[in-house]
Amino acid sequence: MTFSHDIVIVGAGGAGLMAALYAAEEGADVAVVSKLHPLRSHTGAAQGGIGAALGNEEEDSWLWHAFDTVKGSDYLGDQDAIEQMCKDAPRTIIELEHYGVPFSRTNEGKIAQRRFGGHTRNFGEAPVRRACYAADRTGHVILHTLYEQCVKKQVRFYDEYQVLDLLMTEGGTCNGVVAYEILTGDVHTFHAKAVCFATGGYGRVFKTTSNAHAGTGDGFALAVRAGVPLQDMEFVQFHPTGLYRLGILITEGARGEGGILRNSEGERFMERYAPTVKDLAPRDMVSQCIYTEIREGRGINGKEYVHLDMTHVGKEVLEHKLPEISTFSRVYLGIDPVEQPIPVAPTCHYAMGGIPTNVDGQVVRSGDRSDIVPGFYACGECACVSVHGANRLGTNSLLDLVVFGRRTGMAMAAAIKADNKKAALSENPEKRTRDTLESIMARSDGEKAVSIRTDLQETMMKNVSVYRNDDTLAESLSDLKDLRRRVKSVTVEDKGRKFNTDLMDAVEILFMMDYAEAIAAGAKNRTESRGAHSREDFSSRDDENWLKHTLFFGKGDDGYDIEYKDVTITRFQPKERKY
Amino acid sequence: MSKKYGHSAKSSAFQWFTHRITGTFLIFLLITHFWVQHYDRTTASISHSVITSAEADAGVIPEYSDAANEAVQQRRLNQGGIGRNPVVPADASAAQPTGQEATPYDVLMLRLGDPVYAVLWKGFNLLFLLFALHHGFFGVTNILSDYIRNDMLRVGAVSLAWTFALVLFIVGSYSVIVAGLNV
Amino acid sequence: MNITVKIKRFDPEKDDAARWESYSVEADKMDRALDVLMDIKWHHDGSLTFRKSCAHGVCGSDAMKINGENKLACSVLLQDLVKEGGTLTFEPLPAASVIKDLVVDQSGFFEKYRAVMPWLINDSPAPEKERYQSAEDHEIIEEATKCILCGACTHSCPSTWADPDYLGPAALLKAYRYVFDTRDEESEERLKIVDSPNGLWKCYTIFNCVQACPKEIDITRWLSALKRKAVTTRF
Ligand SMILES: Cc1cc2nc3c(=O)[nH]c(=O)nc-3n(C[C@H](O)[C@H](O)[C@H](O)COP(=O)(O)OP(=O)(O)OC[C@H]3O[C@@H](n4cnc5c(N)ncnc54)[C@H](O)[C@@H]3O)c2cc1C
Ligand code: HEM
Ligand code: HEM
Ligand code: FES
């Protein structure tokens, strides 16, 4: 079947819904296609907060926020975009509040704010309260509120439709997507004037992750296949505090409220690495420090974790400000954080890189920033504006979603108003998708998706995580080549048409192969350490050669090309990054 | 949006609230009721034999059998016997107490025929009847309307239930009102 | 530990009725129930179908009946469910039509959600800043905002089992969340909706929802507050 809408948004997390809402506000005909019910999107897992210089708790300014973000990004973020985001932030948060987001409140009834890693006052002086929050379920309340508003605005939702192809005309204009209706097994075409990807992150290519099972990065793969580059994929954020072995996130807000990291000697080791902000140093640093502690034999009981000590914080704060994380440690580890420290280790958390866009969500297809793909937009974690550069600060992702989701929605609506003609579809747009699905279903012997995925996750975790070097990266690339061969024989046991999750697992592993390479290849090429990309063999930052964005062009079995793009610098000249 | 939900002119708030109210009242009504039926072995509710509190304090608790029995026996003789099981043959020779216990029914009739307290007790009974029936049948019709999914059947069953309640109310009220009138 | 896992399965393309299937599984007592399902899907039977996403109880995908009670599979550990050699059962949520195995059709559930106008209504001109709300006023609705709409509550309610059209605790809790939000201006309209024959009054304070709620929300308490509000507004 062919559905036709002005705007088709793929993904219903914070970014997709924000874009949908603001486009719908402008009266556009918007459809949101999501493989999960919108409320199941991983934005709902975001805990700690959303950054904006509201100054509700103490003096703050958007410029300080911008500085922190630039510094946090290890100067790889594009400063024009960062300025835009930090300037837009307060207004966007206020709009969210007006839409009904139930933020926690200060005594005066304003939106409450807390401290978060890397956010400081007066260009690095001391931590500042900038993260607006709703206890430790900030993402959850934002996601729900946005969905509610979209329902109110009668946005058309296609729930549990998994997009499997991005449609482009010969001339490179985007005119729709092909989606698989999970419930029935039917394949449909969505014909649109504007397509927006908001498909979220790819945490699931790593073994230990805070991301959902659905975080398989489908959007990255679809973009690569359509000839769109991926930018800065080597920058993968490992969050310092995931529950040991499970990877479930313990928000940075826990340290914002006073939590302390300790090694096996009980030492508050962050004091050594970041004397000013200590435990509230940015994530890349803290994760690296934890790994260093572990490597030097100061992991707890000789194992690969350290302790997050909340015992001095008190029951009151844990119960009121951090109830979720208390529940997590109680349920999953049987540990009460009021009495015992929580075992934590870094967990793959966030994709700094992604589909390159400008500040209006338009996808840029080369090093030339004006070279956009007509009709194709992206926002949220799958996009790379780039405001996070080499390392994202906590609370800046939700902010990225809402600020750029909003801008993208408005930009798409404006584009529709200017010209509502859709580029014609090709002869048989669903062919490629149907062929892939049929060949998987028809294959009787081969390998199940799970074993390929497990091996992929292992090699990524072992070779491309917090610390990397030329050897590990070379190893991962050769593993990936091998996996790429194996994935051709992926099979399914479920041969039914209806709700075939086995088939979608197989499709997802195909997707993963298409961008995992971008992470490893980008990392191998970048012979410096910057932000989350930490090379043992090149341990310092090299602005001379590497103050530039990576652009990865995948060519399927024929390898890939890598190009580079300049970083935009406005106010803040690169300096050594010290906390 | 489905019409199943909302914008219904019919509010059920009042019935629901009434159910709470009748329920609350029933607590007291039932306590009183059981007290009177089972524990009030005195004839405190019958004016012939009211005892003063001083007497009660002094431990003077007129036995049900003494004062009431006498009155009951008296009535039996006068009227040729009442009660479900006339315990005294109609031709009993004298107005002698037989030593036979009075039945609850007899006591009841006395109470409801009492010149002083009858109005009170009848009022109590009517109120009790109304509340218990409303409370009980409201609950039953709730259950009916939850479980019967066919619209026609549901309306039928609910109407039937309320009709039955009405019949019970009429019968009940009638018995309460006429009870004891011929004492 | 070794356990027997019994799953109520239904393949719409093959089965006329649901059937039980048993698997013998090696598992750790600290595993989540969801881990067991994934293990079976990945290593025993790829056709086993269930929803999942976050795997730590925040997305609401995997509400199902586990050992006879509605729970999130990702939020219970085996040690709290079975002993060595014991049996663990999985069934789809009750009172919902089954799509396949443990996946149920939630369209009715979300229709009820939409029916209560689950969005903030405030048409007065927006202030420059946020709309103030005291910490106390926020606290009134805070617990209700924890709801992840997994459906465990609504499908545990005997009123829903009897009457599938009953709005159910999840939708009513959402109504509560907005009626009691001091920023909302349209509580009357919303109260009219919940004060309908299929609404609030089918809650007989049974407390099954409270027991089922994976977020430990005291749903009945908030619904009672909503009832009081409905009554006092009506009269
Ligand atoms: C545990 C955790 C805690 C976090 N805490 C914070 C925090 O405190 N502050 C902060 O700023 N950030 C936080 N983040 C980061 C932030 O939450 C995420 O980056 C952000 O939510 C991503 O949002 P999104 O809208 O881009 O994607 P998601 O919310 O992940 O949504 C992706 C959407 O795309 C859909 N989709 C994907 N593939 C397809 C396909 N092929 N077809 C159709 N639909 C598809 C999915 O169904 C889903 O609706 C946290 C992240 C995690 C994992
Ligand atoms: C063993 C228990 C009971 C006994 C012996 C009993 C006996 C009686 C008697 C003798 C009366 C006549 C009126 C009076 O004495 O004032 C009566 C009236 C009444 N009883 Fe009970 N009863 C019992 C339990 C109940 C219960 C459980 C209910 C409530 C559901 C109830 C409801 C009523 C009502 C509503 C009346 C009003 C009378 C009427 O309209 O006739 N009774 N009962
Ligand atoms: C002590 C006195 C009583 C009190 C306080 C009381 C209270 C209540 C309450 C509060 C309810 C509503 C439950 C709900 O909807 O949440 C109820 C229901 C009900 N009551 Fe009573 N009640 C009392 C006595 C009685 C008696 C004597 C009867 C029988 C005649 C009765 C029959 C019912 C029925 C049938 C229901 C409906 C059950 C349901 O809705 O599931 N109650 N009662
Ligand atoms: S998988 Fe998200 S709640 Fe269980």
Side-chain angles (χ1 to χ4, degrees), chain A residues 382-523:
Chain A
C382 71
C384 179
V385 184
S386 133
V387 286
H388 308 306
N391 172 60
R392 165 177 78 88
L393 290 189
T395 79
N396 268 358
S397 170
L398 287 177
L399 184 62
D400 171 1
L401 309 184
V402 299
V403 165
F404 294 109
R406 172 176 176 272
R407 294 185 69 92
T408 306
M410 297 196 302
M412 289 191 294
I416 301 299
K417 273 190 194 148
D419 166 22
N420 194 10
K421 258 210 318 289
K422 301 185 180 90
L425 290 171
S426 65
E427 191 60 24
N428 188 355
E430 292 160 13
K431 183 169 184 325
R432 222 170 359 182
T433 309
R434 287 186 192 277
D435 288 350
T436 314
L437 294 178
E438 273 158 28
S439 70
I440 299 174
M441 290 290 267
R443 212 169 284 142
S444 52
D445 55 9
E447 206 172 346
K448 282 181 77 162
V450 56
S451 62
I452 306 173
R453 187 173 60 219
T454 312
D455 289 351
L456 171 66
Q457 291 167 338
E458 293 279 356
T459 181
M460 294 300 282
M461 197 70 195
K462 183 163 145 250
N463 298 316
V464 202
S465 65
V466 174
Y467 282 114
R468 304 146 173 196
N469 63 45
D470 200 61
D471 295 339
T472 65
L473 292 169
E475 186 179 326
S476 73
L477 280 170
S478 90
D479 284 353
L480 287 175
K481 243 202 193 111
D482 189 45
L483 287 165
R484 197 176 254 292
R485 194 178 41 69
R486 280 166 61 190
V487 86
K488 293 212 159 59
S489 69
V490 67
T491 55
V492 293
E493 284 174 6
D494 190 342
K495 301 287 183 190
R497 275 177 65 77
K498 289 196 169 173
F499 226 97
N500 192 334
T501 49
D502 208 18
L503 181 58
M504 288 304 105
D505 276 357
V507 171
E508 283 167 356
I509 183 71
L510 287 166
F511 285 151
M512 288 163 127
M513 291 316 309
D514 279 337
Y515 61 82
E517 210 166 30
I519 304 172

Side-chain angles (χ1 to χ4, degrees), chain A residues 5-10 20 29-33 155-158 190:
Chain A
H5 294 280
D6 288 347
I7 297 173
V8 167
I9 294 169
V10 184
D29 159 32
V30 186
V32 176
V33 184
V155 168
R156 179 79 163 84
F157 282 99
Y158 294 87
F190 287 80

